[in-house]
Amino acid sequence: MSGIPNVDRRTERRQETQREIVDASWALVREHGLAGLSMRDLGNRVGMRAQSIYSYFASKHEIYDAMFLEGYQAFATWIDAAVDDADTDPIGVARAGARAFVEFCTSDPVRYQLLFQRTIPDFTPSPETYAVAVNVYERMGEQLGAVGVRDQATLDLWTAVLTGITDQQISNDPGGTRWTQLVDRAVDMLLAESGATTTTTTGSEKA
């Protein structure tokens, strides 16, 4: 019995240290870029030898994986909050989701690079972590399905347009609104081109 609390405390301390390492990793990549994450700098930041970090993460890519997971969890929360606050009609939800996507991405360019670009050579998220990303994508597809967008090509175009707006904003007007202010217009153009409607089959209409 006496050993159980000790095991729990060790697990808790280990998780706290992993959390500290991930937080420090975010701070470093925001200073030096994603590819500039150094285990030596990371060790200095958390007060341990670089070699000791491998007791908590088997590799640098495993740290990136933890960051990727955290990023997508934050993304899901951000999108959910925006959609919950949106108008109840599907078009309003689609616009809110698109604005939230671009706002989330432009609010933290380094996080955007990790989640949506191939910035780290040879880094591939673990299946468990990538499943979170897939879930978020599928939920976006469900929201667009409510306005009649169900084909893969239009979904691909949707993500391409939103990431294009994001890239332009980050690259050419950081901190501004030159491209982000075009999100609603882009959404309306995409929905018009795809022939989307506000008709739903969710049973939400009044009888």
Side-chain angles (χ1 to χ4, degrees):
M1 294 279 304
S2 61
I4 295 177
N6 290 333
V7 170
D8 289 343
R9 283 196 293 271
R10 285 199 296 271
T11 300
E12 185 176 327
R13 285 197 297 270
R14 178 177 178 82
Q15 291 173 343
E16 289 174 352
T17 302
Q18 288 176 320
R19 171 76 268 152
E20 184 181 0
I21 291 171
V22 171
D23 287 346
S25 297
W26 279 118
L28 285 170
V29 298
R30 285 170 180 141
E31 293 173 13
H32 306 295
L34 277 173
L37 181 61
S38 160
M39 298 301 275
R40 177 178 297 178
D41 290 343
L42 183 55
N44 291 336
R45 186 65 63 98
V46 297
M48 65 174 66
R49 294 188 306 164
Q51 300 290 76
S52 300
I53 295 174
Y54 292 107
S55 300
Y56 299 93
F57 292 96
S59 67
K60 187 188 295 187
H61 279 190
E62 194 168 291
I63 297 175
Y64 284 128
D65 192 68
M67 295 167 68
F68 189 94
L69 174 61
E70 181 178 287
Y72 257 102
Q73 289 172 336
F75 180 49
T77 299
W78 186 295
I79 295 293
D80 287 345
V83 169
D84 288 344
D85 291 340
D87 296 332
T88 55
D89 71 282
I91 294 292
V93 170
R95 289 193 185 115
R99 287 195 299 268
F101 176 90
V102 174
E103 289 166 0
F104 179 84
C105 293
T106 55
S107 70
D108 190 337
V110 171
R111 182 176 58 189
Y112 165 69
Q113 290 173 353
L114 178 62
L115 300 188
F116 300 105
Q117 297 180 333
R118 298 286 183 175
T119 306
I120 307 300
D122 302 323
F123 168 65
T124 302
S126 64
E128 297 80 10
T129 295
Y130 192 65
V132 177
V134 171
N135 180 260
V136 174
Y137 181 80
E138 289 175 346
R139 283 153 61 186
M140 181 189 71
E142 291 171 1
Q143 292 166 7
L144 293 178
V147 293
V149 175
R150 297 181 179 88
D151 63 290
Q152 188 61 53
T154 303
L155 289 173
D156 290 345
L157 182 60
W158 184 275
T159 57
V161 168
L162 295 184
T163 53
I165 289 174
T166 297
D167 287 341
Q168 288 280 30
Q169 187 62 59
I170 291 173
S171 299
N172 298 302
D173 187 31
T177 61
R178 180 176 176 183
W179 276 271
T180 55
Q181 67 182 349
L182 302 176
V183 173
D184 281 2
R185 184 176 174 184
V187 168
D188 291 346
M189 291 170 63
L190 285 168
L191 294 181
E193 190 276 337
S194 66
T197 70
T198 58
T199 301
T200 66
T201 57
T202 62
S204 60
E205 297 87 357
K206 292 182 179 179

